Amino acid sequence: MKPRTVLLLISLCAALTACSGEASTGGQADYNQTKKMVIDILKTDEGKKALQDVITSDGMKKNLVIDKAYMKEAIEQTLTSDKGKTFWREAMQDPKFAAAVADSMKTENKALLKSLMKDPDYQAMMMDILKDPAYEKEVQTMLKSKEMRKTMQEVVIDTFNDPAFKAKMEDSLLKAAKTMKDKK
């Protein structure tokens, strides 16, 4: 049975029972029967599917008003629970998902960093970190590593093979040669 059919049956039963309830003296009994019938219908797989379809429809989503406090609590539980942490850890392993999250927060992160760069306390903290001998040693070790040397070599080769770089280099060499010629 289609979800719309189930909803139509529920509505029809409620309307028929309501109409017949007015004519009879047992209005409360009819209400209880209708209530029981609707609950029974909703407990069926078709009834559950119909409700799920209605709730997840775009039109219904647009009309739902979500309480901010409830939404905040739900997000906090999702982020801070063990299941939530596991979900985010696994979700961030997907490069497309991680890129989408990073892209969605790009503007806010950029604004945050710009405001931090203007903060004297943050600037002082960054300078302290950069001046720290342990940090300097770590950077030197990293720069001397085989991986870094290989990466730098690849960057230099890629740069020399870049047509735009070749054109700039050629222009610079021609200007230098012309300057030398003019001096002689």
Side-chain angles (χ1 to χ4, degrees):
M1 197 180 302
K2 291 187 176 181
R4 288 184 178 171
T5 309
V6 172
L7 288 174
L8 184 61
L9 283 173
I10 293 171
S11 301
L12 186 62
C13 289
L16 288 174
T17 308
C19 291
S20 66
E22 291 176 9
S24 70
T25 58
Q28 186 64 28
D30 290 332
Y31 169 78
N32 287 334
Q33 286 177 330
T34 304
K35 179 180 170 184
K36 186 177 179 186
M37 184 172 36
V38 169
I39 290 172
D40 288 343
I41 291 171
L42 291 176
K43 286 184 179 180
T44 64
D45 289 338
E46 292 93 3
K48 289 176 185 177
K49 175 84 170 103
L51 279 176
Q52 188 176 26
D53 288 346
V54 168
I55 290 171
T56 58
S57 71
D58 289 338
M60 184 61 90
K61 284 181 185 177
K62 289 177 184 176
N63 292 326
L64 284 176
V65 178
I66 298 175
D67 182 32
K68 288 182 182 180
Y70 172 76
M71 188 64 132
K72 181 180 176 186
E73 181 183 334
I75 290 172
E76 285 175 356
Q77 286 177 355
T78 302
L79 293 177
T80 58
S81 70
D82 290 337
K83 286 183 181 180
K85 289 176 185 177
T86 303
F87 165 78
W88 286 108
R89 193 176 308 114
E90 290 172 2
M92 288 301 187
Q93 297 298 322
D94 178 12
K96 289 181 182 177
F97 179 79
V101 170
D103 191 46
S104 72
M105 297 186 317
K106 192 177 208 176
T107 306
E108 291 81 7
N109 285 340
K110 189 175 182 179
L112 174 65
L113 285 174
K114 282 185 176 182
S115 68
L116 284 174
M117 293 306 284
K118 294 175 187 173
D119 181 16
D121 292 335
Y122 183 77
Q123 290 175 353
M125 183 183 70
M126 288 302 296
M127 291 306 292
D128 289 343
I129 290 171
L130 294 174
K131 290 178 184 177
D132 184 14
Y135 177 77
E136 286 181 20
K137 186 174 181 176
E138 187 66 34
V139 170
Q140 287 175 353
T141 303
M142 182 186 69
L143 290 174
K144 291 178 183 178
S145 70
K146 288 182 182 180
E147 294 85 17
M148 181 56 97
R149 289 177 186 242
K150 184 177 179 182
T151 302
M152 290 300 294
Q153 184 180 19
E154 290 171 359
V155 168
V156 170
I157 290 170
D158 288 346
T159 303
F160 280 124
N161 288 332
D162 182 27
F165 178 78
K166 285 181 180 180
K168 286 180 185 178
M169 186 60 83
E170 187 177 308
D171 287 344
S172 296
L173 291 173
L174 288 174
K175 286 180 185 176
K178 185 178 179 183
T179 306
M180 292 296 285
K181 186 178 179 183
D182 290 343
K183 285 185 180 179
K184 288 186 180 179

